[in-house]
Amino acid sequence: MDWLHEFWLFGLKQAYACLFGGFLLLVMIVTRYWYPLESLHRYDFIFLAAIAFQLLLLAFKLETLREAWVIIVFHLVATVMELFKTSDAIGSWVYPEDYVFGIGNVPLFTGFMYSAVGSYIARVWRIFDFRYSYYPRRRWTIILVVLIYLNFFSHHFIWDLRWLLLGATIVLFARTHIYFRMHREHRHMPLLVGWLLVALFIWLAENIATYTNIWIYPNQQNGWQMVPLAKLSSWYLLMLLSFVLVSLINRIEIQVRK
């Protein structure tokens, strides 16, 4: 029954790592169906709730200062992209409700949605004691994610390079395995597969968020429908971007494969 014990521990640790993201998703769902505050916009409430929850995590030492810095960095990086994507000229998606705390077409709580991904990676890295085999040189990973970030902007004006970037990701990380410890021993899996599983989870969360009217895509203007599975490629690249950003403040522990 050791496998059952490890499976249980895996679930508990994952739930602990998802605290911030899970809280945000819960607030989105609850306020979609029950929100009695007429004097405070729903988006502003989510923004204030996210800040309050972060302070609670720090106060009760459920989050480290390093992880809090990760959230701030992600918030800034994401807000810049949100301002571009929601601009009147681009209109990739819209936030249909009113708000006070915001810049342009972007309510400020949106940065926390991306921060939740960064928070999860930073926490799961620490909780599972991540180690890696055949991890590529850091400079190549940085170059790759810079190109990924730029492509989120440039593909509106020139060729979309996402498939080329995905191909480069496979080449760069094809041999890389991630080692994670549930209890005593480290288990391992291909890092590319691990990113895919997390990206799939984010895609599912995105469907919930759009269903609760947090943001909507152009094809959802006349009624909700599932986010196309093709969107998974964007989340996969975002996962890679998030992972490399977190790796800049965490030491890459190398595991020699036996």
Side-chain angles (χ1 to χ4, degrees):
M1 299 294 286
D2 286 345
W3 67 269
L4 186 59
H5 182 236
E6 286 199 355
F7 183 76
W8 174 249
L9 286 177
F10 180 80
L12 286 179
K13 288 186 174 184
Q14 286 287 349
Y16 180 66
C18 290
L19 271 178
F20 184 51
F23 170 78
L24 274 183
L25 201 58
L26 178 63
V27 171
M28 292 174 186
I29 295 171
V30 171
T31 57
R32 174 66 174 87
Y33 296 102
W34 182 71
Y35 187 69
L37 302 178
E38 296 183 0
S39 59
L40 182 65
H41 296 305
R42 178 187 175 213
Y43 285 174
D44 294 332
F45 175 80
I46 295 173
F47 173 65
L48 296 174
I51 293 176
F53 192 71
Q54 278 296 309
L55 293 175
L56 282 175
L57 290 176
L58 287 170
F60 288 96
K61 301 188 184 302
L62 296 174
E63 184 173 81
T64 67
L65 285 175
R66 175 176 290 187
E67 290 162 359
W69 275 112
V70 167
I71 286 175
I72 293 173
V73 170
F74 271 79
H75 204 292
L76 294 174
V77 171
T79 299
V80 171
M81 188 169 70
E82 283 279 338
L83 286 169
F84 174 81
K85 291 287 191 178
T86 61
S87 64
D88 295 336
I90 302 300
S92 295
W93 56 81
V94 296
Y95 294 94
E97 300 184 22
D98 295 327
Y99 52 86
V100 173
F101 299 114
I103 304 173
N105 295 331
V106 182
L108 286 182
F109 81 88
T110 59
F112 283 116
M113 296 188 297
Y114 296 85
S115 297
V117 178
S119 171
Y120 165 78
I121 296 173
R123 292 163 70 84
V124 81
W125 192 310
R126 169 172 55 88
I127 294 167
F128 283 94
D129 186 29
F130 281 173
R131 300 178 185 183
Y132 308 89
S133 62
Y134 300 111
Y135 194 88
R137 292 185 180 275
R138 178 167 287 179
R139 65 172 175 268
W140 292 116
T141 66
I142 294 174
I143 291 172
L144 179 59
V145 299
V146 168
L147 292 175
I148 288 172
Y149 187 68
L150 291 176
N151 187 68
F152 280 124
F153 298 85
S154 65
H155 81 84
H156 291 281
F157 310 106
I158 60 174
W159 300 289
D160 188 351
L161 302 178
R162 76 176 63 197
W163 299 112
L164 181 62
L165 293 168
L166 283 169
T169 299
I170 293 173
V171 171
L172 198 60
F173 291 93
R175 301 173 65 198
T176 308
H177 273 63
I178 183 170
Y179 290 74
F180 49 96
R181 186 175 64 194
M182 255 92 74
H183 186 40
R184 295 187 180 89
E185 298 181 9
H186 277 81
R187 308 297 182 185
H188 66 90
M189 67 186 302
L191 183 55
L192 292 171
V193 174
W195 285 337
L196 178 60
L197 294 174
V198 177
L200 181 59
F201 180 81
I202 296 173
W203 175 78
L204 292 172
E206 178 185 36
N207 275 282
I208 295 173
T210 54
Y211 183 76
T212 59
N213 208 48
I214 292 298
W215 75 90
I216 55 175
Y217 291 108
N219 67 325
Q220 297 172 326
Q221 293 280 359
N222 297 321
W224 182 84
Q225 52 185 294
M226 286 192 69
V227 178
L229 194 59
K231 193 74 174 177
L232 193 61
S233 63
S234 297
W235 286 117
Y236 194 92
L237 291 173
L238 183 69
M239 263 301 305
L240 173 57
L241 171 63
S242 305
F243 188 91
V244 172
L245 283 176
V246 173
S247 77
L248 297 180
I249 63 169
N250 284 339
R251 181 180 176 183
I252 303 292
E253 296 284 350
I254 301 301
Q255 176 79 30
V256 178
R257 294 193 65 177
K258 298 180 181 178

